[in-house]
Amino acid sequence: MQDKIEGQSKGNIVMVTEENTMPDSRDGQSKNTIIMVTEGPSIPDPREWRIVNAWSIALVGAIVTLCCLAWFRPDPYRDILTFVPDGLAATFQVTLLSICCAVPLGLLTGLGRISRHRLINLVASTYVEVIRGIPLLVQIFYFYYALSGLLQLSRTAAAVISISFCYGAYMGEVFRAGILAISKGQTEAARSLGFNRFQTMFYVILPQAWRTILPPIGNECIAMLKDTALVSVVSMPDLMQRARSYANNTYLYFETYTVIALIYLIITLLLSKVVSIMESRLNYYDGKR
Amino acid sequence: MLRKFALALLALTLWCSPAAAETYIVAGDCTWPPMEALDKDKTPVGYSFDIIRAVAQAAGFEVEIRNIAWDGIFAGVAAGNYDIVASSTTITPERQKAFDFSDPYYEVHQAVIMPAGKSIAKLDDLKGKNVGGQIGTTGIFVMQKANVGATIREYDDVGLAIQDMVAGRIDAVICDDPVAMFYMNKKAEYAKKLTIPLVTNDVEYYGFTVKKGRKDLVEKINKGLKIIRDNGTEAKIKEKWMGAD
């Protein structure tokens, strides 16, 4: 059992692709897992020991650039840095709320996708198909403006709901793939020990699958933070909206968007490191081979 | 194959290259009716475009009008992607620092739109209310300068702000008065739903925006503006879009 798991967690982001495992075949072979990078940044390898690597170059580069700009050209740059913090708070608020909604939704969707119950399976699969086929920007417009006749959603609610719905579908696929990657023998062993299906899933399969799932989920969360930039269209005063306001007031487009790009970059790099540390904690025993 | 490709490329280049008469590219954000809008055939129409076309004809140059999103329209002219911005840009001292402007071609005030039945007497009455507007427009700047304690909501275009107000999520929208009048009177879906309780006394002037230092272009536009003002073309265009006074 341990061998299989180790085999999986070698890659940074392990995901079983759809070609490999049909939803119904529950004996996903971890040896054939294919590494698939989703839209987030790459999670740094927890076993990376060199100091100079892509991650540290990017982070140090971004921080040094930002500090230099603020120090040597305080006129626009420090102004911009003092103008945007409340936008940063809104960005984090939307991201955190969306993560809280999207991860459970993703888990439910993932379980639904591998469910034997035909109706549940159909509902979950349809949800994934529909949501993944619609751009997030369209979904945000839809929840906020198009549905305004039926639902009076606040801008935060509309932003959180549309992002959670969108990412819930993507995460559902991650959960499904992670669960399918656990060998069928685990289920059989648990069932023969008298666990029921529910117990098997929550006490045996998911704890193991979680290690495979974490990097891509972390990745999706970071991608989510980046995609919150889209909610500025519903007049949500997030980091992007603040940048646009500033640029539209001062006509300093280059300066403003440089600062904003660097801020987003620093946040995502730090978060990817956090995910990487969490991953190494989960895979603690793998290192002691 | 390669030769065919090269010939096609050459043909395309020739086809795209400017004609003999000088052609200037004009940018306008077609979400600001009746000054700039798209008609059913997705062609840019509106007061500003008619004026710049008439100016071009009078001053002897050609124009090609493009629909460019408002957010970033100034960055594009600064980068030289197009020559003239004809997008109801108010001449402000801040903008004059970064761009050059033609002589004024239209005079506007800021108007506050509210749902029918609501009313305010002065800008200060918006205290504590949610006021929407299009990002980077003078309506927003007026609210920021007035600093009456309202929450300012910035939308990508004024139509979205009005839609949000009709849905009940904001209390008022501020924009240029011709646009406010248009939404109140010409849009069937908003009939009897909107009211304009307040129009500010401060006058703003629209000017055509060009890249800083394009004095030649400013001169040409001003020359054309003077001609169409003298020969009555401007009055005709005004009557066409704004109705008789």
Coordinates of all heavy atoms in Angstrom, one line a residue, chain B residues 97-175:
Chain B
K97 N -2.5 67.9 -18.3 CA -1.0 67.6 -18.0 C -0.5 66.5 -18.8 O 0.7 66.4 -19.2 CB -0.9 67.3 -16.5 CG -0.6 68.6 -15.7 CD -0.4 68.2 -14.2 CE -1.1 69.1 -13.3 NZ -1.5 68.5 -12.0
A98 N -1.4 65.5 -19.1 CA -0.9 64.3 -19.7 C -1.2 64.2 -21.2 O -0.6 63.5 -22.0 CB -1.5 63.1 -19.0
F99 N -2.2 65.0 -21.7 CA -2.6 64.9 -23.1 C -2.9 66.3 -23.6 O -3.0 67.3 -22.8 CB -3.9 64.1 -23.2 CG -3.8 62.8 -22.6 CD1 -4.2 62.5 -21.3 CD2 -3.3 61.7 -23.3 CE1 -4.1 61.3 -20.7 CE2 -3.1 60.5 -22.8 CZ -3.6 60.3 -21.5
D100 N -3.0 66.5 -24.9 CA -3.4 67.7 -25.5 C -4.9 67.6 -26.0 O -5.3 66.5 -26.3 CB -2.5 68.0 -26.7 CG -1.2 68.7 -26.2 OD1 -1.2 69.2 -25.1 OD2 -0.2 68.7 -27.0
F101 N -5.6 68.7 -25.9 CA -7.0 68.7 -26.2 C -7.3 69.7 -27.3 O -6.6 70.8 -27.4 CB -7.8 69.1 -25.0 CG -8.0 67.9 -24.0 CD1 -7.0 67.8 -23.0 CD2 -9.0 67.1 -24.1 CE1 -7.2 66.7 -22.1 CE2 -9.2 66.0 -23.2 CZ -8.2 65.8 -22.2
S102 N -8.3 69.4 -28.1 CA -8.8 70.4 -29.1 C -9.6 71.4 -28.4 O -9.8 71.4 -27.1 CB -9.7 69.7 -30.1 OG -10.9 69.3 -29.5
D103 N -10.1 72.4 -29.1 CA -11.1 73.3 -28.5 C -12.3 72.6 -28.1 O -12.6 71.5 -28.6 CB -11.5 74.4 -29.6 CG -10.3 75.4 -29.8 OD1 -9.4 75.4 -29.0 OD2 -10.3 76.0 -30.9
P104 N -13.1 73.1 -27.1 CA -14.3 72.4 -26.7 C -15.3 72.2 -27.8 O -15.4 73.0 -28.7 CB -14.9 73.3 -25.6 CG -13.8 74.2 -25.2 CD -12.8 74.3 -26.4
Y105 N -15.9 71.0 -27.9 CA -17.0 70.8 -28.9 C -18.4 70.6 -28.3 O -19.3 70.5 -29.0 CB -16.6 69.7 -29.8 CG -16.6 68.3 -29.3 CD1 -17.7 67.5 -29.3 CD2 -15.4 67.7 -28.8 CE1 -17.8 66.2 -28.8 CE2 -15.4 66.4 -28.3 CZ -16.6 65.7 -28.3 OH -16.6 64.4 -27.8
Y106 N -18.4 70.5 -27.0 CA -19.8 70.3 -26.4 C -19.7 70.7 -24.9 O -18.6 70.6 -24.3 CB -20.3 68.9 -26.5 CG -21.8 68.8 -26.4 CD1 -22.6 69.4 -27.3 CD2 -22.3 68.1 -25.3 CE1 -24.0 69.3 -27.1 CE2 -23.7 68.0 -25.1 CZ -24.5 68.6 -26.1 OH -25.9 68.5 -25.9
E107 N -20.8 71.1 -24.4 CA -20.8 71.6 -23.0 C -21.8 70.7 -22.2 O -22.9 70.5 -22.6 CB -21.3 73.0 -23.0 CG -21.4 73.7 -21.7 CD -22.1 75.1 -21.8 OE1 -21.7 75.9 -22.7 OE2 -23.0 75.3 -21.1
V108 N -21.3 70.2 -21.1 CA -22.2 69.3 -20.3 C -22.1 69.7 -18.8 O -21.2 70.4 -18.4 CB -21.8 67.8 -20.4 CG1 -22.1 67.3 -21.8 CG2 -20.4 67.6 -20.0
H109 N -23.0 69.1 -18.1 CA -23.0 69.2 -16.6 C -23.1 67.7 -16.1 O -23.4 66.8 -16.8 CB -24.3 69.9 -16.1 CG -24.4 71.3 -16.7 ND1 -23.9 72.4 -16.0 CD2 -24.9 71.7 -17.8 CE1 -24.2 73.5 -16.8 NE2 -24.8 73.1 -17.9
Q110 N -22.8 67.6 -14.8 CA -23.0 66.3 -14.2 C -24.4 66.1 -13.7 O -25.0 67.0 -13.1 CB -22.0 66.0 -13.0 CG -20.6 65.9 -13.5 CD -20.4 64.8 -14.5 OE1 -21.0 63.7 -14.3 NE2 -19.7 65.1 -15.5
A111 N -25.0 65.0 -14.1 CA -26.4 64.7 -13.7 C -26.5 63.5 -12.7 O -25.7 62.6 -12.9 CB -27.3 64.5 -14.9
V112 N -27.3 63.6 -11.7 CA -27.5 62.5 -10.8 C -28.8 61.8 -11.2 O -29.9 62.4 -11.3 CB -27.6 62.9 -9.3 CG1 -27.9 61.8 -8.4 CG2 -26.2 63.6 -8.9
I113 N -28.7 60.5 -11.5 CA -29.9 59.7 -11.9 C -30.3 58.9 -10.6 O -29.5 58.4 -10.0 CB -29.7 58.8 -13.0 CG1 -28.9 59.4 -14.1 CG2 -31.0 58.2 -13.5 CD1 -28.5 58.5 -15.2
M114 N -31.6 58.9 -10.3 CA -32.1 58.1 -9.2 C -33.3 57.3 -9.7 O -34.0 57.7 -10.7 CB -32.4 59.0 -8.0 CG -31.2 59.6 -7.4 SD -31.5 60.6 -6.0 CE -31.2 59.3 -4.7
P115 N -33.7 56.3 -9.0 CA -34.9 55.6 -9.3 C -36.1 56.6 -9.2 O -36.1 57.4 -8.3 CB -35.0 54.5 -8.3 CG -33.7 54.3 -7.7 CD -33.0 55.7 -7.8
A116 N -37.1 56.4 -10.0 CA -38.3 57.3 -10.0 C -38.9 57.4 -8.6 O -39.0 56.4 -7.9 CB -39.3 56.8 -11.0
G117 N -39.2 58.6 -8.2 CA -39.8 58.8 -6.8 C -38.8 59.2 -5.8 O -39.2 59.8 -4.8
K118 N -37.5 59.0 -6.0 CA -36.5 59.5 -5.1 C -36.1 60.9 -5.5 O -36.3 61.3 -6.6 CB -35.3 58.5 -5.1 CG -35.6 57.1 -4.8 CD -35.6 56.9 -3.3 CE -36.0 55.5 -2.9 NZ -35.1 54.5 -3.4
S119 N -35.6 61.6 -4.5 CA -35.2 63.0 -4.8 C -34.1 63.5 -3.9 O -34.0 63.1 -2.7 CB -36.4 63.9 -4.7 OG -36.0 65.2 -5.0
I120 N -33.2 64.3 -4.4 CA -32.2 65.0 -3.6 C -32.2 66.4 -4.1 O -32.6 66.7 -5.2 CB -30.8 64.4 -3.7 CG1 -30.3 64.3 -5.2 CG2 -30.7 63.1 -3.0 CD1 -28.9 64.1 -5.3
A121 N -31.7 67.4 -3.2 CA -31.7 68.8 -3.6 C -30.3 69.2 -3.9 O -30.0 70.1 -4.7 CB -32.2 69.6 -2.4
K122 N -29.3 68.6 -3.3 CA -27.9 68.9 -3.5 C -27.0 67.7 -3.4 O -27.5 66.7 -2.8 CB -27.4 70.1 -2.6 CG -27.7 69.8 -1.1 CD -27.5 71.1 -0.3 CE -27.5 70.8 1.2 NZ -28.8 70.3 1.7
L123 N -25.8 67.8 -3.8 CA -24.9 66.6 -3.8 C -24.7 66.1 -2.4 O -24.6 64.9 -2.2 CB -23.5 67.0 -4.4 CG -23.3 66.8 -5.9 CD1 -21.8 67.1 -6.2 CD2 -23.7 65.5 -6.3
D124 N -24.7 67.0 -1.4 CA -24.5 66.6 0.0 C -25.6 65.6 0.5 O -25.3 64.8 1.4 CB -24.5 67.8 0.9 CG -23.3 68.7 0.7 OD1 -22.4 68.2 0.0 OD2 -23.3 69.8 1.2
D125 N -26.7 65.7 -0.2 CA -27.8 64.7 0.2 C -27.5 63.3 -0.1 O -28.2 62.4 0.3 CB -29.1 65.1 -0.5 CG -29.6 66.5 0.0 OD1 -29.1 66.9 1.0 OD2 -30.5 67.1 -0.7
L126 N -26.4 63.1 -0.9 CA -26.0 61.7 -1.2 C -25.2 61.1 -0.1 O -24.7 59.9 -0.2 CB -25.2 61.7 -2.5 CG -26.0 62.0 -3.8 CD1 -25.1 62.1 -4.9 CD2 -27.0 60.9 -4.0
K127 N -25.0 61.8 1.0 CA -24.2 61.3 2.1 C -24.8 59.9 2.6 O -26.0 59.8 2.8 CB -24.3 62.3 3.3 CG -23.4 62.0 4.5 CD -23.5 63.1 5.5 CE -22.4 63.1 6.5 NZ -22.4 62.1 7.5
G128 N -23.8 59.0 2.8 CA -24.2 57.7 3.2 C -24.9 56.8 2.2 O -25.3 55.6 2.5
K129 N -25.0 57.3 1.0 CA -25.7 56.5 -0.1 C -24.6 55.8 -1.0 O -23.5 56.3 -1.0 CB -26.6 57.4 -0.9 CG -27.8 57.9 -0.1 CD -28.9 58.2 -1.1 CE -30.1 58.9 -0.5 NZ -30.6 58.4 0.8
N130 N -25.0 54.8 -1.7 CA -24.1 54.2 -2.7 C -24.4 54.9 -4.0 O -25.5 54.9 -4.6 CB -24.5 52.7 -2.8 CG -24.0 51.9 -1.6 OD1 -22.8 52.0 -1.3 ND2 -24.8 51.1 -1.0
V131 N -23.3 55.5 -4.5 CA -23.4 56.2 -5.8 C -22.5 55.5 -6.8 O -21.3 55.3 -6.6 CB -23.0 57.7 -5.7 CG1 -23.1 58.4 -7.0 CG2 -23.8 58.3 -4.6
G132 N -23.1 55.1 -8.0 CA -22.4 54.5 -9.0 C -22.0 55.4 -10.1 O -22.6 56.5 -10.3
G133 N -21.0 55.0 -10.9 CA -20.6 55.7 -12.1 C -19.7 54.9 -12.9 O -19.3 53.8 -12.5
Q134 N -19.3 55.4 -14.1 CA -18.4 54.7 -14.9 C -17.0 55.0 -14.4 O -16.6 56.2 -14.2 CB -18.6 55.0 -16.4 CG -17.6 54.3 -17.3 CD -18.0 54.3 -18.7 OE1 -19.2 54.5 -19.1 NE2 -17.0 54.2 -19.6
I135 N -16.1 54.0 -14.3 CA -14.8 54.2 -13.8 C -14.0 55.2 -14.7 O -14.1 55.2 -15.9 CB -14.0 52.8 -13.8 CG1 -12.8 52.8 -13.0 CG2 -13.8 52.3 -15.2 CD1 -12.3 51.5 -12.6
G136 N -13.3 56.1 -14.0 CA -12.5 57.1 -14.7 C -13.2 58.2 -15.4 O -12.6 58.8 -16.3
T137 N -14.5 58.4 -15.1 CA -15.2 59.5 -15.8 C -15.3 60.6 -14.8 O -15.1 60.5 -13.6 CB -16.7 59.1 -16.2 OG1 -17.3 58.6 -15.0 CG2 -16.6 58.0 -17.2
T138 N -15.7 61.8 -15.3 CA -15.7 63.0 -14.5 C -16.8 62.9 -13.4 O -16.6 63.6 -12.4 CB -15.8 64.3 -15.3 OG1 -16.8 64.0 -16.3 CG2 -14.5 64.7 -15.9
G139 N -17.8 62.1 -13.6 CA -18.8 62.0 -12.6 C -18.2 61.4 -11.3 O -18.5 61.9 -10.2
I140 N -17.4 60.4 -11.5 CA -16.7 59.8 -10.3 C -15.8 60.9 -9.7 O -15.7 61.0 -8.5 CB -15.8 58.6 -10.8 CG1 -16.7 57.5 -11.3 CG2 -15.0 58.1 -9.7 CD1 -17.5 56.7 -10.3
F141 N -15.1 61.6 -10.6 CA -14.1 62.6 -10.0 C -14.9 63.7 -9.2 O -14.4 64.1 -8.1 CB -13.3 63.3 -11.1 CG -12.5 62.3 -11.9 CD1 -12.0 62.7 -13.2 CD2 -12.1 61.1 -11.4 CE1 -11.3 61.8 -14.0 CE2 -11.4 60.2 -12.2 CZ -10.9 60.6 -13.5
V142 N -16.0 64.1 -9.7 CA -16.8 65.1 -9.0 C -17.2 64.6 -7.7 O -17.2 65.3 -6.7 CB -18.1 65.5 -9.9 CG1 -19.1 66.2 -9.0 CG2 -17.7 66.3 -11.1
M143 N -17.7 63.3 -7.6 CA -18.1 62.7 -6.3 C -16.9 62.6 -5.4 O -17.0 62.9 -4.2 CB -18.6 61.3 -6.5 CG -20.0 61.3 -7.1 SD -21.2 62.2 -6.2 CE -21.2 61.4 -4.6
Q144 N -15.7 62.3 -5.9 CA -14.5 62.2 -5.1 C -14.1 63.5 -4.5 O -13.8 63.7 -3.4 CB -13.3 61.6 -5.9 CG -13.4 60.1 -6.1 CD -12.5 59.5 -7.1 OE1 -11.9 60.3 -7.9 NE2 -12.3 58.2 -7.1
K145 N -14.2 64.6 -5.4 CA -13.8 65.9 -4.9 C -14.8 66.5 -4.0 O -14.5 67.1 -3.0 CB -13.7 66.8 -6.1 CG -12.3 66.7 -6.8 CD -12.0 67.8 -7.7 CE -10.8 67.4 -8.6 NZ -11.1 67.3 -10.0
A146 N -16.1 66.2 -4.2 CA -17.2 66.7 -3.3 C -17.1 66.1 -2.0 O -17.3 66.7 -1.0 CB -18.6 66.5 -3.9
N147 N -16.6 64.8 -1.9 CA -16.4 64.1 -0.7 C -17.5 64.3 0.3 O -17.3 64.7 1.4 CB -15.1 64.7 -0.1 CG -14.5 63.7 0.9 OD1 -14.9 62.5 1.0 ND2 -13.5 64.1 1.7
V148 N -18.7 63.9 -0.1 CA -19.9 64.1 0.7 C -20.2 62.9 1.6 O -21.1 62.9 2.3 CB -21.2 64.4 -0.1 CG1 -21.0 65.6 -0.9 CG2 -21.4 63.2 -1.1
G149 N -19.3 61.9 1.6 CA -19.5 60.8 2.5 C -20.3 59.7 1.9 O -20.9 58.9 2.6
A150 N -20.4 59.7 0.5 CA -21.1 58.6 -0.2 C -20.1 57.5 -0.5 O -18.9 57.8 -0.7 CB -21.7 59.2 -1.5
T151 N -20.6 56.3 -0.6 CA -19.7 55.2 -1.1 C -19.8 55.2 -2.6 O -20.9 55.1 -3.2 CB -20.3 53.9 -0.6 OG1 -20.5 54.0 0.8 CG2 -19.3 52.8 -0.8
I152 N -18.6 55.3 -3.2 CA -18.6 55.4 -4.7 C -18.3 54.0 -5.3 O -17.4 53.4 -4.9 CB -17.5 56.4 -5.1 CG1 -17.7 57.8 -4.5 CG2 -17.4 56.5 -6.7 CD1 -16.6 58.7 -4.6
R153 N -19.2 53.6 -6.2 CA -19.1 52.3 -6.9 C -18.7 52.6 -8.3 O -19.4 53.3 -9.0 CB -20.4 51.6 -6.8 CG -20.9 51.3 -5.4 CD -20.1 50.2 -4.8 NE -20.5 49.8 -3.5 CZ -19.9 49.1 -2.6 NH1 -18.7 48.6 -3.0 NH2 -20.3 48.8 -1.5
E154 N -17.6 52.0 -8.7 CA -17.1 52.2 -10.1 C -17.4 51.0 -11.0 O -17.0 49.9 -10.7 CB -15.6 52.5 -10.1 CG -15.3 53.9 -9.4 CD -13.9 54.0 -9.0 OE1 -13.1 54.5 -9.9 OE2 -13.5 53.7 -7.9
Y155 N -18.1 51.3 -12.1 CA -18.5 50.2 -13.0 C -17.7 50.4 -14.3 O -17.2 51.4 -14.6 CB -20.0 50.3 -13.3 CG -20.8 49.9 -12.1 CD1 -21.1 50.9 -11.1 CD2 -21.3 48.7 -11.9 CE1 -21.8 50.6 -10.0 CE2 -22.1 48.4 -10.8 CZ -22.3 49.3 -9.8 OH -23.1 49.0 -8.7
D156 N -17.7 49.3 -15.1 CA -17.0 49.3 -16.3 C -17.7 50.2 -17.3 O -17.1 50.9 -18.2 CB -16.9 47.9 -16.9 CG -15.7 47.2 -16.3 OD1 -15.6 47.3 -15.1 OD2 -15.0 46.5 -17.1
D157 N -19.0 50.2 -17.3 CA -19.7 51.2 -18.1 C -21.0 51.7 -17.4 O -21.5 51.0 -16.5 CB -19.9 50.8 -19.6 CG -20.9 49.7 -19.8 OD1 -22.1 49.9 -19.4 OD2 -20.5 48.6 -20.2
V158 N -21.5 52.8 -17.9 CA -22.5 53.5 -17.2 C -23.8 52.6 -17.2 O -24.6 52.6 -16.3 CB -22.7 54.9 -17.7 CG1 -23.3 54.9 -19.1 CG2 -23.6 55.7 -16.7
G159 N -24.0 51.9 -18.3 CA -25.2 51.1 -18.4 C -25.3 50.0 -17.3 O -26.4 49.8 -16.8
L160 N -24.1 49.5 -16.9 CA -24.1 48.5 -15.8 C -24.5 49.2 -14.5 O -25.2 48.6 -13.7 CB -22.8 47.8 -15.7 CG -22.3 46.9 -16.9 CD1 -20.9 46.4 -16.6 CD2 -23.2 45.7 -17.0
A161 N -24.0 50.4 -14.3 CA -24.4 51.1 -13.1 C -25.9 51.4 -13.0 O -26.5 51.2 -12.0 CB -23.6 52.4 -13.1
I162 N -26.4 51.8 -14.2 CA -27.9 52.0 -14.1 C -28.7 50.8 -13.9 O -29.6 50.7 -13.2 CB -28.3 52.8 -15.4 CG1 -27.7 54.2 -15.4 CG2 -29.8 52.8 -15.6 CD1 -27.9 55.0 -16.7
Q163 N -28.2 49.7 -14.6 CA -28.9 48.4 -14.4 C -28.8 48.0 -12.9 O -29.8 47.5 -12.4 CB -28.1 47.4 -15.2 CG -28.5 45.9 -15.0 CD -29.9 45.6 -15.4 OE1 -30.4 46.2 -16.3 NE2 -30.5 44.7 -14.7
D164 N -27.7 48.2 -12.3 CA -27.6 47.9 -10.8 C -28.5 48.8 -10.0 O -29.0 48.3 -9.0 CB -26.1 48.0 -10.4 CG -25.7 47.0 -9.4 OD1 -26.4 45.9 -9.4 OD2 -24.7 47.2 -8.7
M165 N -28.6 50.0 -10.4 CA -29.5 50.9 -9.6 C -31.0 50.5 -9.8 O -31.7 50.4 -8.8 CB -29.4 52.4 -10.1 CG -30.2 53.3 -9.3 SD -29.9 55.0 -9.8 CE -30.8 55.0 -11.4
V166 N -31.4 50.1 -11.0 CA -32.7 49.6 -11.2 C -33.0 48.3 -10.4 O -34.1 48.1 -9.9 CB -33.0 49.4 -12.7 CG1 -34.3 48.8 -12.9 CG2 -33.0 50.8 -13.4
A167 N -31.9 47.5 -10.3 CA -32.0 46.3 -9.5 C -32.1 46.6 -8.0 O -32.4 45.7 -7.2 CB -30.9 45.4 -9.8
G168 N -31.8 47.8 -7.6 CA -31.9 48.2 -6.2 C -30.7 48.1 -5.4 O -30.8 48.2 -4.1
R169 N -29.6 47.9 -6.0 CA -28.4 47.7 -5.1 C -27.6 49.0 -4.9 O -26.7 49.0 -4.0 CB -27.5 46.6 -5.7 CG -28.1 45.2 -5.4 CD -27.3 44.1 -6.0 NE -27.4 44.1 -7.5 CZ -27.4 43.0 -8.2 NH1 -27.2 41.9 -7.6 NH2 -27.5 43.1 -9.5
I170 N -27.8 50.0 -5.7 CA -27.2 51.3 -5.4 C -28.3 52.4 -5.5 O -29.4 52.1 -6.0 CB -26.0 51.6 -6.3 CG1 -26.4 51.6 -7.8 CG2 -24.8 50.8 -6.1 CD1 -25.4 52.1 -8.7
D171 N -28.0 53.5 -4.9 CA -29.0 54.5 -4.7 C -29.1 55.5 -5.9 O -30.1 56.1 -6.2 CB -28.8 55.3 -3.4 CG -28.8 54.3 -2.3 OD1 -29.8 53.7 -2.1 OD2 -27.8 54.2 -1.6
A172 N -27.9 55.8 -6.5 CA -27.9 56.8 -7.5 C -26.7 56.6 -8.5 O -25.8 55.8 -8.2 CB -27.7 58.2 -6.9
V173 N -26.8 57.2 -9.7 CA -25.8 57.1 -10.7 C -25.4 58.5 -11.1 O -26.3 59.3 -11.3 CB -26.2 56.2 -11.9 CG1 -25.2 56.3 -13.0 CG2 -26.4 54.8 -11.5
I174 N -24.2 58.8 -11.2 CA -23.8 60.1 -11.7 C -23.1 60.0 -13.0 O -22.2 59.1 -13.2 CB -22.9 60.9 -10.6 CG1 -22.6 62.3 -11.1 CG2 -21.6 60.1 -10.3 CD1 -22.2 63.2 -10.0
C175 N -23.5 60.8 -14.0 CA -22.9 60.8 -15.3 C -23.2 62.1 -16.0 O -23.9 63.0 -15.5 CB -23.3 59.6 -16.1 SG -25.0 59.6 -16.5

